[in-house]
Amino acid sequence: MIPTFIRAYAASAAIAGCRIVTFDVPASATTIATATSGTVPLVGVSDRMGADTGGMCDVHRGSLVAVQLGGAVAAGDPLTANATGLAIKAVPGAGTNLNIIGFADQPGVSGDIIDVFIAPGVIRG
């Protein structure tokens, strides 16, 4: 068994399973929503159940967890969120910062569910 850090948050809108999430209102940090880019702080990855609007969503904040891909990645690639919270390879533009949720633990293509090693951070292009 791989230990993980999971915390429950209220969902401000419906969240699909295995998606990258962010704080809906960072100033209050009381609700979460599906991340829509790597330019916002990334909190973690929703569990496989996700959540309905107003429901509680278990969010993985550490360890190896399942995430759904929105593009092709190789093992070891840094991952960020696309417009629907799917994980994509983080490729920041020159001189810009991009938030990452962690690193791909295996390769995959769009639609695959792979393991990601949760290690939030920022990379600069």
Side-chain angles (χ1 to χ4, degrees):
M1 181 173 124
I2 299 172
T4 187
F5 170 42
I6 301 171
R7 182 166 181 201
Y9 295 92
S12 62
I15 298 173
C18 301
R19 299 293 172 100
I20 300 172
V21 298
T22 187
F23 289 116
D24 185 40
V25 181
S28 66
T30 58
T31 58
I32 59 165
T34 302
T36 57
S37 76
T39 60
V40 297
L42 305 175
V43 175
V45 177
S46 63
D47 70 356
R48 289 183 182 269
M49 297 282 297
D52 293 329
T53 302
M56 296 303 288
C57 183
D58 284 341
V59 176
H60 294 269
R61 306 248 357 229
S63 191
L64 282 172
V65 299
V67 68
Q68 189 169 12
L69 296 176
V73 302
D77 281 348
L79 301 178
T80 192
N82 72 5
T84 58
L86 296 171
I88 57 173
K89 181 178 179 178
V91 183
T96 62
N97 293 332
L98 192 59
N99 292 299
I100 63 168
I101 195 61
F103 299 90
D105 198 54
Q106 58 195 120
V109 296
S110 185
D112 285 353
I113 295 178
I114 67 162
D115 285 336
V116 59
F117 177 69
I118 301 287
V122 178
I123 59 174
R124 186 166 179 82

